[in-house]
Each structure stands twice: as C-alpha cells, then as structure tokens.
C-alpha cells in the first residue's frame, strides 16, 4: 500500500461520487418537489449511454455525441413524463413504484431490441486517452475529466438554483410544494422543468460513464440503487445532501472495496479477510445508510422544516 | 378550582415568522374555555402544540401537574387529552362502531391479541355504543364511515374523543362546515358535556362560543390579548381593535 | 394517570361510571350511584347528574336526531351467517381448485403442472406474507424478497454442511429471519412514505450483495441443494407429497392471517394504514405494532423461501433481488391488496402470464411470436403499466368487492 494507490482510489471514489451526484441531484428534486417515486431514472442514464454510443460510433466524435445525447435524453424523459407519468403524480407511491418499475422493463427490452444483449463499447475519446499529473503521479485523464465536468455541472446547478428565478421556484417547491401551487405558479411547467433537468443530468452521467463502464441492458439498476442510497442518506429534496451524500457514498464504496480486505488482513487474519472482506465491503454503504438513518431519520441535510 | 391544563410562554417560529408569541392559557377543571381570534392568530397552531403534533420552541405545557411539553402525541392521549380535528380525521373504511371501538381499545390496551375477532369483543363494543349514543349516532353504528354526512362525521369525531375517557377535550373548530341545524345540535351536545369534561374550544361560530363558554381567550398575532367571561370580552377594547382594526367603530 | 382511569381488575368501568368517578367533587345524590351489579348507561348517568337542569336529556329532541336519515345502509351487503358464507365462497373455490390440481395432473399424466402450481402457491404464500404489511398495513416494502433468500439459503448452507433435517433448516431460517426483520424493520419504520420504500429496497440490495459475495456457497451462480429437507413422515422428493405440504402450509397461513386481520392487533394495523395520525391521537404507540406486523410478514416469506429451496433445489442471490420484491408487490396489486386470497390469485396471474409470454406457443405470425417471446419482459412491463393506470383494484379484489375494502 503506497501513497499513489491510496490517492488513485480516493480520486476514483470522487469520480464515482460525482457520477452519483449527477444522478441524485435530479432525482432528489423529483422525489422532494414532485413527491414522485421515479424508479425509471436509471433507465434515463442507460438511454443517455446508448444514445452516446450510437452517435459516437456513427459520427466518431465524442464531443458531438455528448452535445446531442444529453438533449435527446431530455426529450425522451419529457416524452415519457407526458405520456405515462403525468397521470400518476396524484396517485399514491405504490402506483408510481409499479408503473416506473414496468417502465424499467420496457426500456431494457427496447434497448435490447435496438442494440442486442451484448455490451456495447465506447472508446475513450483520443484527446482524453492519456494521463494527467496530479500531486506528482499519473491519473487517467478521462476520469479526471469526469470529475471536472461533474463539478462544473454542479456549479452550474448551484448557480441556477440560487441565482435565477426558476431556481427560486425550485427551492420554494422543495420547501413547500403545495404552497407554490397555491401561489399560482404554473405547476406543470415547474414539474416539466424539474423532470427535464433530472433527465438531462442522468443522461450526462450516462454519456460520461459509457467509456469506462460497459453499456448494456440493465446497467441503470445498480446505479439506481446507489442513487437511492445517496438520496436517503443526504435527505430527500436536498441538493446539498445529494452532493455530500454522493461524495461520501462514492468514497466509502471505492475505498472500502479497495482496502477493507487489506485492513482486515492486517487487523485479524487472512482467512477472515478473504471470507468476510469482500462481503462487508459491498455492504458498507448500506450499513452507512442504516447508521445515518438510525441517528437522523430524515437524512443528513433534511429540507422540510417542521 | 384547579387548573387542569395550562400553557405558559409558548413560542413557535417558522423561520422569521412568529406564529405563537409568548402565549399563556389556563384551563380550569370542568370549564369550557373558548379560544377565538381573527384568521392567522395562531389558534390551530396552539391546538397542535397542546396536542403534541408540533413542538414549541419555548414555553411549557402542563397537564394535571405533569409537564407534557416534550411528551409524544400518544402519551398525551393516554394521559387524558382527547381531541377532535378541524378537518375530519376518522377511519373511513371502518364502520362507525369500529371507529369508536378503536378509541376504546387504545385506552384498554391489550392490542397484541392476534386470535379473537375484535368485532365480537363486548368489552369494546359496549363502551363504544355508549359513546355513540351519547352523540346521538347510535343508529349509524354499522354504516361505513365514508358514507356519513359531514355533520355526522363531526359527531363521530366527538364520540371517538369521548371513548378515550379524556379529562381534557381539545376541540378544533368542531362546527366547521356544518349547517345551522347541525351546529345547533352540536351546541346542545357540548352544553351537555360541559362540566363533565374540561374543554378547550377553538371556534369561529360566535353564537356558539358566547352561548357555551365559561371563559374566552382572544388571540391576536400569536398572543392572548384578552381573557375573561363572555360578557367582559364583548366590551373589551383590545378585542374590538383586533377584529375590526384601528380607527373603526 | 389517575387511579380512576385504569380499568378495574376484571371489569372495565362503563363510560357512565367513569364520568361519575371523575365528578366526585360535584354533589351527586345517592341514587345516582350505580347499584351493585348493574352499571348505569351513560345516558342514565348524565340524566341523573342533570337533576338541576329543567329538561332531562332524553326528553329533549336533539338537533341531531331530527337530521338522522332513516336509511341505514349496512357496511356490507348484509351481516350474519349467510353473508359470511357468501364472502367465503370465492376463497373456498380457490382452495378447492388447488386441491384438485394433483388429481388432474395425475390423470392427464403431466406432472409439470404440479411443479408450476406449487411454484404459484409458494410465491402466493410470499405475496400473502407481504400483503400483511402492504395491503393491510400500508407499508410499501420493496425488500421483502430478502426473506425469501434467507429461507432458501438456510436450507442451502445447512445442506452443504450435511445438516438435512427440515426442522433444523426451518428453525435456523426463522431465527435469522426474525433477527434481521427486527433490525431492518426498526430502522425502516422510523421513516415513512417514499423514504421507507427506498430504504427497504436498499436493504434488499445489501443482502443480495452479501449472498453474491458468499463465494464458498456459489456466489453469483447460486447454490445447488443436494437433498431435500428431511421431514419425518414426508418424502419431499415425491412431487405429490411436496405439493400437499405447500398447500397445507398455505391454507394454515391464510387461516391464521384471517384471524389476525380481524383481531385487535389487526384493527390497529389496518387503522394505522388508514389514518396514522389519528391512531397516535387515540393513544396507540403505533411503532411497536407496525414492527410486529413487519416481523410476522417477514417470517411468512421466510417459510416460503424454505419451500422454494425445496422446490427448486437451488438457492440463488436473485431470490433477494429488489426486482423480485417488486414482483411480489405486483402480485399483491394484481390480485387485490385488500383481500387475503388476492395475492395468491395475483401470483397465479403473474406466473401464468410469464409462462404464456415467454414459452407457450402463440397463435400469431411467427415473426411477431418470436418478438414477443424474446422480449416478453418488455410486454410484461407494458402490462404492468396498463394495470396500474387502468385496473387498480386487482382481479380478486374486483370479484369480491362488496363495499368493504378490508376483507
């Protein structure tokens, strides 16, 4: 174990965290403001990845793929919202869970129909194929780009939420959705805005994740579960909670998987480390979530006041 | 005369908005104490704090000599605090009788019984029927609650509160949405309950308030600006100003 | 709490007596005291106390009595023995059909159906367990499948170490399942609404990963179970005996659930679903009842897992996936959540639809049939969306609807 290994894993953890942040920021708003349980959010991530793969393999330009796939994902998201989900906003959570669950199945099969079951690979764009020097050692440039783009998106989100009128409406909606409606704000427009924002962020995450993860049907589900853990830990409706929660989850998951077996080996013995290490490492973030909830049932940064 | 319930120095803030601003209220044993005030004066927030659904930021609430300021809702109910809701809150899928039987069961305990049908439990049914008769709703015992008229549901709320064998009743606008006839009936019922229970009555219906209340507290902007007998309140300058504004006569 | 508020040993005071006790300070004449052996009704007691008032309560026509409607529609279409029998008819029909399956399978020489219907019953059992908290308790748990896995892996792991006694399998399964349910339930039930849904899902995923990481027990590939659980007097290898065991367990669980749902505990559970705020205001510490219901429902699913392991001779991490939990929820909704047998009917619909879409010959042009068969999950998803949007009450629920939402 050396400094470079630790630093690399920390950066990997941050990179995973940033991806999770992009996924959670949109979804936590959908949960908190629209009071809508959207399990199909992971499918939007998957669609972003597939669209980027198609465009990249078609046009051979990652930048173009990025520029087109994200808006395309937003359009898909808005279309699904209009056609299927609009009638569900007033229904109870169970209905929303089941309907979006059905949507997951539909999207997985659509994608399988269009592109087959085998994983699709996107190559890392040549411009970012090298490494960058960070703190005196090399780190893959593409992963660093993910962190940079994600932070930039986060900053943009922060500015939009805190410095624009639309953002003010979103913040008001997060604190008290009914009140905002009662004030005469066009709720449908606000909902479309929030849903579209979430779809765009998920699509962006999918596009960026494409080259480093394999693009295949069902890739959205594991990410969805991680996203839900982040949202619950950070606090439903809270973007700040999504940010810190995502970074914590990303770091703990990555560092845990990388180092826990070694730590157990040092503390106990090899047999225990081999038997229990991977198991505990994969369960770490859930145990963290349980711990946070036991102490603060509404998450680390709850939005609702009373 | 003892104070069965009192609240002193209650404060509740929502951000910069102060809803309850140093409110004092005393409820004497056996009296019907009405709380009135213009809209936004904080009447419902007061009831929520007394019932335990909202925690005050400062102040104390004492029931029968015990400090219940931090007590959870169900503890207060078991300690003798019954309430009815401004917006009817009953079990719509149960029958009317089942609603009241639940209230009886809460008091009796023994809810970890898994075998005997609760519907045939005479220990629950008898007190429940009594409470229903008390509010003149006995004839509707087997009806599904969702089919009741609005006024009947308010009666059911009171029956449920009574079945809890409370000592203090918190009634939050029980006459809301009632027709004249229904309100008259409820006033009669409350008149009968007066003296048997200590009642805090939040109401807008002034006829009812002045007919029933032993004492009236007037709220304005979260604090009590006057407290006294109906006659005294009627002449109070501060009350006039609160309701009608400055400079009006 | 004052002494008069506690029910006296053996007999609770009537409302009238309690009122009398509370008014000890008031001057009440001796005749108002309840005579030995007979408690006064509340009306009598109040009338006695109003001696000073001019008109007694019973003589005054009340505003309410004038408004009382003359119609008195009963909560259900008739109460009493006949109505109860009528309500029990669909349930009897279902169990009769289930009893006939082995005979029919034997007669037509297709034991495949035995296995299929056994699977339906096991999933129906799991769904029925879930429905205790979902339909009756209002808790949307997307993590109940993990108890299926606990049941199955208890059989698998013990078998792998040479322990084959069914009693041991079941005891270990219930012990672990109970402990996990208490711990998980404790954390989850502190939350509600969408947080509850997500947290139960997350815990299921945690157990899924735990199972996957158990490399020595198959890991991702699952664990083949060499021998069935040994139960004295039964040979679980025999598909007919196994079927009857499953049917018996299902019948017993349904019967017990029926009693539970109508018991005092059941009323608290159902009330907590309808109006949790009101339950607290009445004085129920609802948390402990909901936790107890959660643990009970989990244990039923554990038993289903035990049976599943014996049916499939296989334990797999996929038994714990949240998608299977979602399937269980779907079965409850498909069949009707407000009834005891709804989940079983829903399980049948689910399994049969799955078989139909993915395997059975379809009377369609070959290209289309092929499309449906390869992408049957997508069509299934469309079906789910359609059900949610258009048919919420479920199949069995629609059949038995008679005014009451709770069976």
């Amino acid at each position: 174990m050396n400094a470079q290994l630790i630093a690399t894993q920390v950066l990997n953890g941050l990179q995973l965290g940033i991806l999770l942040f992009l996924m959670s920021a949109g979804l936590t708003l959908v949960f908190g403001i629209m009071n809508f349980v959207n399990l199909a959010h992971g499918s939007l991530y998957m669609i972003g990845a597939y669209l980027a793969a198609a465009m990249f393999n078609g046009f051979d330009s990652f930048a173009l793929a990025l520029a087109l796939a994200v808006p395309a994902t937003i359009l898909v998201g808005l279309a699904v919202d209009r056609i299927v989900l609009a009638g569900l906003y007033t229904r109870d959570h169970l209905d929303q869970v089941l309907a979006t669950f059905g949507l997951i199945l539909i999207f997985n099969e659509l994608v399988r129909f269009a592109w087959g079951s085998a994983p699709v690979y996107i190559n890392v764009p040549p411009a970012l194929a090298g490494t960058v020097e960070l703190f005196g050692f090399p780190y893959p440039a593409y992963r660093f780009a993910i962190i940079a783009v994600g932070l930039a998106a986060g900053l943009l989100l922060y500015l939009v939420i805190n410095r624009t009128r639309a953002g003010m409406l979103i913040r008001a909606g997060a604190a008290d959705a009914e009140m905002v409606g009662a004030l005469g704000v066009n709720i449908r427009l606000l909902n479309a805005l929030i849903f579209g924002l979430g779809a765009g962020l998920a699509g962006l995450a999918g596009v960026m994740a494409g080259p480093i993860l394999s693009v295949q049907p069902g890739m959205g589900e594991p990410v969805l579960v991680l996203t839900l853990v982040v949202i619950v830990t950070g606090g439903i409706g809270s973007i700040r909670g999504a940010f810190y929660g995502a970074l914590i989850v990303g770091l703990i998951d990555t560092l845990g998987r990388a180092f826990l077996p070694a730590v157990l080996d040092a503390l106990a013995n090899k047999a225990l480390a081999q038997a229990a290490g991977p198991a505990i490492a994969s369960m770490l973030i859930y145990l963290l979530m349980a711990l946070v909830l036991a102490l603060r049932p509404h998450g680390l940064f709850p939005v609702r006041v009373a | 005369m003892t104070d069965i319930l009192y609240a002193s120095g209650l404060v509740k803030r929502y951000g910069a908005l102060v809803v309850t601003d140093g409110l004092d209220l005393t409820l004497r044993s056996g009296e019907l104490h009405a709380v009135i005030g213009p809209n936004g004066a904080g009447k419902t927030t007061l009831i929520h704090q007394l019932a335990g659904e909202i925690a005050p930021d400062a102040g104390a609430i004492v029931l029968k000599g015990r400090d219940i300021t931090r007590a959870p809702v169900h503890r207060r109910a078991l300690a003798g605090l019954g309430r009815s809701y401004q917006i009817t809150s009953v079990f719509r899928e149960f029958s009317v009788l089942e609603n009241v039987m639940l209230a009886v069961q809460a008091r009796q305990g023994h809810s970890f019984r898994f075998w005997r049908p609760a519907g045939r439990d005479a220990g629950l049914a008898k007190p429940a029927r009594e409470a229903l008769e008390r509010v003149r709703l006995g004839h509707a015992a087997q009806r599904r609650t969702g089919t009741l008229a609005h006024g009947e549901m308010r009666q059911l709320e009171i029956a449920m509160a009574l079945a809890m064998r409370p000592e203090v009743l918190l009634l939050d606008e029980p006459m809301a949405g009632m027709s004249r006839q229904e309100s008259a009936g409820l006033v009669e019922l409350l008149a009968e309950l007066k003296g048997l229970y200590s009642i805090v009555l939040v109401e807008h219906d002034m006829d009812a308030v002045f007919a029933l209340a032993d004492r009236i507290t007037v709220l304005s902007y979260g604090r009590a600006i006057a407290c006294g007998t109906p006659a005294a309140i009627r002449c109070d300058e501060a009350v006039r100003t609160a309701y009608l504004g400055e400079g009006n006569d | 709490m004052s002494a008069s508020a506690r029910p006296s040993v053996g007999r609770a005071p009537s409302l009238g007596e309690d009122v009398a006790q509370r008014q000890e300070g008031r001057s009440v004449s001796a005749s108002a005291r309840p005579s030995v052996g007979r408690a006064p009704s509340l009306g009598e007691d109040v009338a006695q106390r109003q001696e000073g008032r001019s008109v007694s309560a019973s003589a005054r026509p009340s505003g309410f009595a004038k408004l009382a409607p003359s119609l008195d529609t009963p909560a259900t279409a008739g109460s009493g023995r006949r109505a109860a029998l009528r309500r029990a008819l669909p349930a009897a029909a279902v169990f009769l059909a289930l009893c006939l399956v082995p005979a029919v399978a034997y007669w037509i020489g297709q034991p495949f159906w035995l296995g299929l219907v056994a699977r339906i019953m096991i999933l129906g059992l799991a769904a029925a367990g879930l429905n205790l908290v979902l339909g009756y308790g209002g808790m949307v748990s997307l993590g109940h499948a993990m108890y299926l896995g606990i049941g199955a892996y208890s059989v698998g792991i013990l078998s792998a170490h040479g322990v084959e006694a069914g009693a041991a399998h079941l005891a270990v399964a219930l012990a672990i399942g109970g402990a996990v349910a208490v711990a998980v339930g404790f954390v989850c039930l502190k939350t509600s609404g969408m947080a509850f849904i997500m947290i139960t899902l997350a815990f299921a995923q945690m157990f899924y990963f735990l199972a996957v990481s158990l490399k020595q027990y198959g890991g991702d590939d699952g664990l083949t179970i060499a021998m069935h659980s040994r139960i004295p007097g039964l040979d679980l290898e025999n598909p007919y005996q196994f079927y009857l065991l499953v049917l018996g367990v299902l019948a017993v669980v349904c019967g017990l659930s029926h009693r539970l749902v109508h018991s005092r505990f059941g009323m608290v559970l159902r009330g907590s679903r309808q109006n949790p705020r009101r339950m607290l205001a009445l004085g129920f510490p609802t948390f402990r009842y909901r936790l107890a219901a959660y643990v009970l429902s989990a244990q039923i699913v554990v038993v289903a897992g035990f049976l599943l392991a014996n049916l499939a001779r296989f334990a797999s991490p996929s038994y714990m996936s949240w998608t299977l939990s979602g399937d269980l929820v779907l079965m409850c909704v498909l069949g009707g959540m407000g009834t005891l047998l709804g989940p079983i009917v829903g399980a049948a619909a689910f399994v049969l639809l799955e078989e139909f879409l993915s395997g059975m010959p379809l009377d369609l042009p070959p290209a289309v049939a092929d499309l449906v068969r390869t992408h049957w999950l997508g069509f299934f998803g469309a079906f789910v969306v359609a059900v949610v949007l258009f048919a919420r009450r479920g199949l069995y629920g629609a059949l038995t609807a008679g005014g009451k939402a709770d069976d």
Side-chain angles (χ1 to χ4, degrees), chain C residues 17-36:
Chain C
E17 276 180 358
D18 182 75
V19 167
Q21 285 162 2
R22 256 184 292 108
Q23 298 308 317
E24 273 149 20
R26 299 273 227 85
S27 56
V28 182
S29 68
S31 59
R33 288 253 169 264
S35 46
V36 174

Side-chain angles (χ1 to χ4, degrees), chain C residues 371-394:
Chain C
L371 181 76
V372 172
R373 229 173 282 129
T374 22
H375 298 290
W376 68 273
L377 259 181
F379 289 94
F380 188 75
F383 172 75
V384 170
V385 176
V387 165
V388 172
L389 290 179
F390 306 119
R392 261 298 260 117
R393 193 106 78 116

Side-chain angles (χ1 to χ4, degrees), chain A residues 31-82:
Chain A
F31 279 14
I33 300 178
M34 296 161 65
N35 200 21
F36 186 77
V37 182
N38 179 20
L39 295 180
H41 198 71
S43 300
L44 290 170
Y45 164 86
M46 176 179 73
I47 287 171
Y50 266 103
L51 287 177
M55 290 178 196
F56 180 62
N57 292 327
F59 303 127
D60 214 23
S61 158
F62 190 77
L64 199 61
L66 184 69
L68 288 178
V70 174
T73 310
I74 297 179
L75 284 175
V76 170
L78 288 175
V80 167
D81 176 46
R82 189 97 314 229

